[in-house]
Amino acid sequence: MKRLHIQLIAILSGIILILSSIGAYLGAISYAISALATIIIFPAFIISIGLLLSAGLKDGDIPFMGY
């Protein structure tokens, strides 16, 4: 995977997490839906951040990060 793709995954999953939290706080969505979105999206956010931190700035292979 390219570094740009991983950055996009990190940004999009972070935005989804923030929007679901704000939506639940304001009452736009239920807490159950917000919790479900957090449970589904949070692992993608953490893994993408971990890959970005372990990858070099040069184009090359991104190291495998197991579960």
Side-chain angles (χ1 to χ4, degrees):
M1 239 184 186
K2 301 263 186 202
R3 187 172 174 85
L4 178 65
H5 294 134
I6 295 175
Q7 286 175 339
L8 288 175
I9 291 171
I11 291 169
L12 289 176
S13 60
I15 289 172
I16 291 171
L17 289 171
I18 291 169
L19 288 177
S20 70
S21 176
I22 291 172
Y25 179 74
L26 296 177
I29 59 174
S30 69
Y31 286 113
I33 293 175
S34 176
L36 183 64
T38 301
I39 290 169
I40 291 171
I41 300 296
F42 189 71
F45 180 69
I46 292 298
I47 290 172
S48 62
I49 295 295
L51 286 173
L52 283 174
L53 291 176
S54 66
L57 293 177
K58 299 178 184 176
D59 285 336
D61 289 339
I62 294 176
F64 174 74
M65 185 174 146
Y67 292 103

